[in-house]
Amino acid sequence: MVTKKEFLEELTNATNEAIKAADKNGDNQLSKKEVNDMYKKCKYPNPTLATNSLFELFDLDKDGKLSVNEVKTAVLVDYIIEAETCLKKFVDIIFKADSNKDNKITWDEARQYFITSGSNEAQAKVLANSMFEDVDSDDDKCITREELREYAIEYFEIYPTE
């Protein structure tokens, strides 16, 4: 699992490399022109709109340049939005098993979901048992959206740890 320190070091290195690639005047910051030129080089649709939007959101001190910290903020926000979108999709897919729509998955609902997904009865029982063993953190015989979300964060290592 990636630690927060390792994650932030990787983010800083990647940010420095990205800035270096687009920073034409060598001031270790990105001007609107440098960002716009980068978008044009990448054939990004509507580079001016993208540049203006990026600066509106992330030029925190409004100096017309993006610093390393402002670029890291932009990357982190993008990462968090993408991670949360994926988490929601994952939870929504699994919660199709919630046949009575009470926002909890019972063992029987999980078993039935696995059967309708193509597993035989024996396989469905094994899968339901495994799911509950891994995900039902409070052992209340129900899986909530929050338990599933927390499980996914840990299992897929979505966010770095301490």
Side-chain angles (χ1 to χ4, degrees):
M1 193 169 286
V2 176
T3 66
K4 285 182 185 175
K5 182 179 179 186
E6 292 167 335
F7 181 81
L8 292 174
E9 284 174 2
E10 280 185 39
L11 176 63
T12 299
N13 291 338
T15 301
N16 287 336
E17 287 178 29
I19 287 178
K20 207 177 285 182
D23 182 18
K24 298 302 178 198
N25 66 3
D27 65 353
N28 207 29
Q29 298 182 71
L30 297 178
S31 68
K32 280 189 173 184
K33 181 177 180 351
E34 289 168 330
V35 171
N36 198 46
D37 289 348
M38 178 187 66
Y39 280 138
K40 285 179 182 176
K41 186 177 178 182
C42 296
K43 298 184 184 336
Y44 197 87
N46 204 337
T48 302
L49 178 63
T51 299
N52 289 337
S53 298
L54 185 70
F55 274 78
E56 183 64 32
L57 290 171
F58 298 108
D59 182 13
L60 304 176
D61 58 8
K62 304 299 181 202
D63 66 351
K65 293 187 177 279
L66 293 177
S67 67
V68 170
N69 284 337
E70 289 168 329
V71 173
K72 281 197 300 191
T73 299
V75 171
L76 277 172
V77 167
D78 186 57
Y79 177 83
I80 290 167
I81 289 170
E82 185 66 27
E84 290 299 322
T85 300
C86 290
L87 278 170
K88 183 178 181 334
K89 286 179 183 176
F90 173 78
V91 170
D92 287 348
I93 288 168
I94 302 300
F95 257 77
K96 289 180 180 178
D98 180 22
S99 59
N100 66 0
K101 306 295 181 220
D102 65 352
N103 279 317
K104 295 178 183 173
I105 299 174
T106 63
W107 184 90
D108 197 53
E109 285 175 320
R111 181 191 58 79
Q112 188 58 45
Y113 176 75
F114 290 125
I115 289 170
T116 59
S117 297
S119 298
N120 65 36
E121 181 70 31
Q123 292 167 330
K125 286 179 179 180
V126 169
L127 289 169
N129 285 336
S130 178
M131 181 177 174
F132 271 77
E133 184 177 309
D134 292 343
V135 182
D136 186 18
S137 58
D138 60 6
D139 293 323
D140 67 349
K141 309 294 186 232
C142 292
I143 294 175
T144 64
R145 287 180 175 274
E146 188 57 29
E147 284 175 316
L148 189 56
R149 182 181 183 283
E150 291 301 316
Y151 170 77
I153 288 171
E154 183 178 328
Y155 183 81
F156 296 115
E157 298 181 356
I158 293 174
Y159 293 117
T161 60
E162 292 298 325

